[in-house]
């Protein structure tokens, strides 16, 4: 119900903003393939991040039997990998590497990460998740760096602040969807006995959820790559045609915050 209400309110906001002479957000941006690709990428990488962090943590506690304090330390590989990916992806963009290629590599890494833990058993140990955490950490930040760059690049100067601020909302939407979908999928396959989750039920539900998330990322990644490729070619064509009221283009070495 909340999701339906949210979609309705978002639609009303778009209609009102489009008709307003003093709009707070440039709704016309959604005609840009690059911007739509950036929005979709933002939803997807946050979706994947939340799905991995939440459900890996649940697996470790319900199946492996570790304490919450250990869980907090065990997610470190994802965070460290993300930091490395941020520097690497930014440097590659600065050297002229294709944003489409970098983002595609990021999605592939995320998909491989989810697939690597989609065949667990009740005997799977915590350390077996480390490769998945590293892959997802590398992949999601590679996607995020390109997404942030192109999100800002499409913003008209007049609406720069509004567009940059909206990126946080896009990320929160993706993160919330990841939590909701993965939790629902696992809950459908798990019953609780005396308040405790049964490991033999949790594991197959977890594996199925990881496969579904990998599939969503694969389909979304392909759509994002197509839109981004089309949009960047259009931007290049417009640039060659001559000066115009074009969106902001970040310098090669500059990465937007957020």
């Amino acid at each position: 119900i909340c999701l339906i209400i949210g979609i309705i309110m978002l639609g009303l906001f778009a209609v009102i903003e489009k008709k307003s002479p003093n709009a707070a957000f440039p709704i016309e941006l959604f005609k840009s393939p690059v911007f739509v690709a950036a929005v979709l990428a933002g939803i997807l990488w946050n979706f994947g991040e939340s799905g991995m962090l939440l459900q890996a943590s649940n697996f470790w506690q319900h199946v492996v039997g570790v304490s919450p304090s250990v869980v907090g330390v065990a997610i470190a590989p994802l965070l460290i990998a993300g930091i490395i990916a941020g520097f690497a992806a930014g440097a590659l963009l600065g050297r002229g590497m294709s944003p489409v290629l970098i983002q595609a590599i990021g999605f592939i890494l995320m998909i491989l990460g989810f697939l690597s833990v989609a065949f667990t058993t009740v005997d799977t140990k915590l350390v077996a998740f480390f490769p998945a955490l590293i892959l997802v950490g590398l992949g999601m930040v590679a996607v995020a760096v390109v997404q942030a760059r192109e999100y800002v690049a499409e913003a008209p100067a007049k609406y720069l602040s509004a567009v940059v601020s909206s990126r946080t909302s896009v990320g929160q939407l993706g993160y919330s969807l990841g939590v909701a979908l993965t939790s629902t999928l696992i809950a459908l396959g798990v019953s609780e006995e005396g308040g405790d989750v049964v490991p033999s039920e949790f594991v197959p539900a977890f594996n199925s959820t990881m496969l579904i998330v990998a599939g969503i990322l694969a389909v979304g990644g392909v759509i994002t790559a197509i839109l981004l490729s089309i949009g960047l070619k259009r931007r290049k064509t417009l640039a060659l045609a001559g000066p115009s009221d074009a969106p902001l283009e970040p310098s090669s070495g500059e990465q937007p915050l957020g």
Side-chain angles (χ1 to χ4, degrees), residues 89-154:
L92 290 172
L93 277 177
R95 293 177 182 178
M97 187 171 180
S98 167
V100 178
L101 179 57
I102 293 174
Q103 192 158 271
I105 292 173
F107 275 115
I108 290 172
L109 291 174
M110 290 184 71
I111 292 166
L112 291 176
F114 279 94
L115 291 178
S116 70
V117 289
F119 304 95
T120 58
T121 69
V122 292
D123 297 318
T124 299
K125 304 302 181 183
L126 186 150
V127 293
F129 279 77
F130 285 178
L133 293 174
I134 293 171
L135 288 169
V136 172
L138 291 171
M140 73 180 197
V141 175
V143 172
V145 168
V146 175
Q147 182 244 347
R149 180 179 185 270
E150 301 306 333
Y151 203 96
V152 175
E154 288 297 292

Side-chain angles (χ1 to χ4, degrees), residues 74-220:
I75 64 172
L78 183 146
L79 303 177
I80 295 171
I83 293 172
I84 295 172
F87 284 107
L92 290 172
L93 277 177
R95 293 177 182 178
M97 187 171 180
S98 167
V100 178
L101 179 57
I102 293 174
Q103 192 158 271
I105 292 173
F107 275 115
I108 290 172
L109 291 174
M110 290 184 71
I111 292 166
L112 291 176
F114 279 94
L115 291 178
S116 70
V117 289
F119 304 95
T120 58
T121 69
V122 292
D123 297 318
T124 299
K125 304 302 181 183
L126 186 150
V127 293
F129 279 77
F130 285 178
L133 293 174
I134 293 171
L135 288 169
V136 172
L138 291 171
M140 73 180 197
V141 175
V143 172
V145 168
V146 175
Q147 182 244 347
R149 180 179 185 270
E150 301 306 333
Y151 203 96
V152 175
E154 288 297 292
K158 178 181 178 181
Y159 296 103
L160 180 60
S161 297
V163 173
V164 171
S165 299
S166 69
R167 184 171 172 263
T168 301
S169 299
V170 169
Q172 290 174 337
L173 173 61
Y175 202 95
S176 299
L177 289 174
V179 171
L181 180 61
T182 59
S183 298
T184 300
L185 289 172
I186 288 181
L188 291 174
V190 174
S191 61
E192 295 185 4
E193 295 182 359
D196 296 325
V197 174
V198 180
S200 61
E201 293 181 350
F202 184 91
V203 170
F206 174 88
N207 291 343
S208 298
T209 299
M210 296 299 100
L211 288 172
I212 291 171
V213 172
I216 292 172
L217 291 174
V219 173

